[in-house]
Amino acid sequence: MAAGTSYRTPGTLPPQASGFVGREAELARARELLRQSRLVTITGPGGVGKTRLAVRAAGEAAGGFRDGAHFIELSAVHDPGLLAHTLAARLTIAEFDQGSQLDRLLGFLRERELLLIFDTCEHVIDACAVLADNILREAPGVTILATSRQPLDAAGEAVLQLSPLPVPDPSADSAGKADVVELFAQRAAAAVPGFTVTPENLADVITVCRRLDGIPLAIELATVRLRALSLHQMAERIDDRLQLLTGGRRPGTPRHQTLRAAIEWSYSLCTPAEQLLWARLSVFAGGFDIAAAEGVCAGGELTRDEIVPTLISLVDKNVLARDRAPDPGQPAEPVFRMLDTIREFGAERLHLAATQAIARQRGNLAERATRAGRARWAGQDNGNGENLGQAEAAVRRRFIAHYLTLAERFEREPTTDQLGQYQRLRREHANLRAAFDYALDLAGNDGAAVVLATSLFFYWRISGLLLEAEYWLDEALERCPKGSVVRARVLSTRGYVRVLLGDLANGRGDAEAAVAMAATFSDLAAGGRAYSALHRTLTFSGNLAEAQEAARSATACLTSAGDTLGLAQLDAVDAMSRLQTGEPHLCCESATRGLARLPVDEIWCASYLYGLQSLGLLLLGDLKRANPPGRQALEMKHRINDVIGMAIGLGGLGFIAAAEGRYERTAWLFGAAAPLWERAGQRYTGSPAHVALHQAAERTACGGLGDDRFWALHTAGAAAPLDLVIGCALGDDDQLGGPAERP
């Protein structure tokens, strides 16, 4: 690690939508265990508050970790192979190096002091245990706090068993101050403004809480009913209701059964439309907006016009939660989520409905057979007896189709509202994974999985999730017939991804295979992508003459396919090659040509071209004209949150500052870029020209300032908040944290 660098992101703990109540003893125990052990698992039944306690404990402990606390939500991860990818994405580790994602992750964590929260591990428990063991062994400064319905059973694990809130005797003097009563009061007041616990209604409150076994989620679901029932009515009815739902086995009912009964009670009080929407929404792995709910859930008994009012009703009943506020830069439209336990129940209902539909259908066939005297009909399913059943399969197909439409639009129109489209896909990442999984699992949908993997090419590039892209493309390739047009597209996409990862040999192999296959099927789009990958491979391998030949073929294919963004990317690589050959005037020409191809609102490719134009002008000695495009490149990369792009942009402005004799600016700009490179991998993605410029600028600045002063400023830049760094860099400041002082 470069001298003085540190991890700049302080932490990623989620905000809490409602107040935290009680649990002082459990919090104290969690603090104690985190001091004693590097792996602490909070266990307990669903709905008991494991996640809430973990976030609270992590917030209190975060100050003891130099690099903060980071929350990793695992509920949407069903493929153990994507566990390391999920963690790396949350830590914003760009995937621009070849090799395993686990190795990249461990290399990043090895120098860190941070707390990781693994939330909801039970469905990938073995993979979580293996990952935790690897991290704790290889990264001595990392502590893991996990939540799970069962322990990880990993070496050195300390377990905190979280029980439901104790329910007091109503005659006790302190009964009104009990945590469970305070929780009920807080949630009831949110449902019915003005509600308070009084001596007169305390006994009813305690009756309800006792019947719900003190399970926080069950209490939250029940308090919503106060909008329709008085507290006394709820206390009178809840016992009968829970006994009915649990088969009358009280007392001694297992607590998960009580929670299930509470959820079933909420379900039974929903209208048929609300029940159906609840079940259908369970296919979402992450948050969803109204457009997604309408596209996936409308159909049959639930019309599109019914989705929004029914959705609002489910929010009112605490079945759905609305995100408190979108992250900066995200669209303003509301995003809704389901708690895991509620989603699991909905998924069961969706599957049960499908099973019942098949049973009804078979029953109808049998009845027809009896009436017609043709008993041979009785065992037939009329072609509809799929593993999932038609109803469930239909919802999943609509889910696949919805996300395939988003992906294909970004591939087809990558320069139209590029930032908005990208941010939408980034927010939907968990659902994109789910769509891919559903397509692989659902008979006859392999083709959709292949198209989804290849259509996300620009998303993979901008997000930097290249190792995950390779993982998906490997899966897709197994579903492609040999010697097919779709195989050519997968190979061309994987070839480009591998080249970006620095895997030049395998990237070239894929590109050459795709070139030959695309030519056989006259697939210009696949051919253009394959030739572009080959061009980049040859350029970075130093085979510049062969690279130019590949560029000519790529240009022909991309021009015929009407792929202007692909042509602009080709110009960017050509501009980089001109830097290598010492032809800055041709570098500027290629960058300018690429910019002319793009619409004014294109961000991602244009930012690279502006940066290359800036470097060409720098090498031509035109420092005055070099600064504006360099700052433009950095501003664009910051807007789209491109980790590698921001690091390159900060470095480019540092080169210019060194040439201007502004050595303090050079030092802190280089320092500011250092933590980004630690997350991104290979410095300047292996571009020899950029590396040479960096080394020359560093020598010049060290010579002007002295080594001690240079590295002190470098350390200050590395430790500064990223937004401050970007603001000072774009403001052309000489001093970090304030405007430049000039005559």
Side-chain angles (χ1 to χ4, degrees), residues 222-526:
T223 53
V224 177
R225 309 297 349 137
L226 292 174
R227 293 171 181 162
L229 300 173
S230 71
L231 176 59
H232 188 64
Q233 287 174 321
M234 178 186 289
E236 286 184 328
R237 298 183 183 196
I238 193 169
D239 190 42
D240 290 340
R241 184 63 188 168
L242 290 181
Q243 286 200 47
L244 174 65
L245 292 172
T246 59
R249 295 187 298 273
R250 302 191 61 87
T253 302
R255 280 164 175 150
H256 74 270
Q257 193 173 9
T258 300
L259 175 60
R260 181 177 183 83
I263 295 174
E264 287 184 356
W265 183 31
S266 291
Y267 181 82
S268 70
L269 294 171
C270 289
T271 66
E274 290 166 354
Q275 291 177 349
L276 186 56
L277 182 58
W278 180 344
R280 291 180 178 180
L281 287 172
S282 69
V283 299
F284 288 94
F288 53 87
D289 58 20
I290 289 173
E294 289 175 332
V296 173
C297 299
E301 303 166 46
L302 192 61
T303 68
R304 195 177 190 88
D305 290 341
E306 291 178 291
I307 296 294
V308 172
T310 308
L311 194 78
I312 293 170
S313 296
L314 290 177
V315 172
D316 289 341
K317 293 176 178 176
N318 278 3
V319 174
L320 295 178
R322 176 174 172 173
D323 279 359
R324 291 179 62 192
D327 293 335
Q330 283 190 350
E333 67 262 20
V335 174
F336 303 91
R337 296 183 185 276
M338 256 186 192
L339 290 175
D340 296 333
T341 310
I342 292 175
R343 181 189 295 116
E344 289 169 7
F345 181 87
E348 288 179 10
R349 289 291 160 171
L350 182 63
H351 186 72
L352 179 62
T355 303
Q356 290 172 340
I358 292 174
R360 284 195 300 271
Q361 185 180 61
R362 287 176 172 165
N364 291 338
L365 288 170
E367 184 179 343
R368 289 166 59 192
T370 300
R371 288 199 307 266
R374 294 192 297 271
R376 65 181 182 276
W377 285 23
Q380 296 178 5
D381 63 8
N382 204 27
N384 293 324
E386 297 183 44
N387 290 335
L388 291 171
Q390 287 293 334
E392 189 173 4
V395 177
R396 289 192 175 189
R397 285 197 184 96
R398 289 197 297 269
F399 185 93
I400 295 166
H402 177 78
Y403 287 101
L404 189 56
T405 297
L406 294 182
E408 288 185 304
R409 186 197 167 201
F410 198 36
E411 181 182 47
R412 187 176 60 253
E413 305 171 21
T415 61
T416 302
D417 186 26
Q418 186 180 76
L419 182 59
Q421 284 201 77
Y422 166 68
Q423 289 175 335
R424 170 74 180 272
L425 289 171
R426 196 71 186 90
R427 192 183 73 226
E428 298 275 14
H429 189 75
N431 289 321
L432 290 171
R433 281 181 175 176
F436 189 73
D437 286 340
Y438 291 157
L440 292 179
D441 291 342
L442 202 56
N445 282 264
D446 284 359
V450 172
V451 174
L452 185 61
T454 54
S455 295
L456 288 170
F457 174 67
F458 292 115
Y459 170 71
W460 298 130
R461 288 221 58 187
I462 297 173
S463 66
L465 299 174
L466 298 178
L467 286 171
E468 183 168 341
E470 187 179 33
Y471 181 92
W472 282 32
L473 291 162
D474 286 346
E475 291 286 318
L477 201 62
E478 292 182 6
R479 271 74 176 179
C480 293
K482 293 184 178 179
S484 63
V485 65
V486 292
R487 191 174 187 85
R489 292 175 184 172
V490 175
L491 282 170
S492 65
T493 304
R494 191 178 71 172
Y496 210 117
V497 165
R498 284 177 161 178
V499 170
L500 292 171
L501 285 167
D503 187 1
L504 300 183
N506 285 318
R508 180 171 183 171
D510 278 351
E512 289 176 339
V515 163
M517 208 173 292
T520 300
F521 294 99
S522 301
D523 190 327
L524 294 171

Side-chain angles (χ1 to χ4, degrees), residues 57 261 275 290 501 539 549 638 642 660:
Q275 291 177 349
I290 289 173
L501 285 167
T539 298
E549 183 64 33
H638 184 232
D642 184 336
E660 293 174 327

Side-chain angles (χ1 to χ4, degrees), residues 64-68 109-115 141-143:
F65 295 88
R66 184 191 68 202
D67 301 312
L109 293 174
R110 204 165 280 126
E111 301 293 333
R112 301 304 191 284
E113 295 177 9
L114 51 80
L115 175 63
V142 175
T143 294

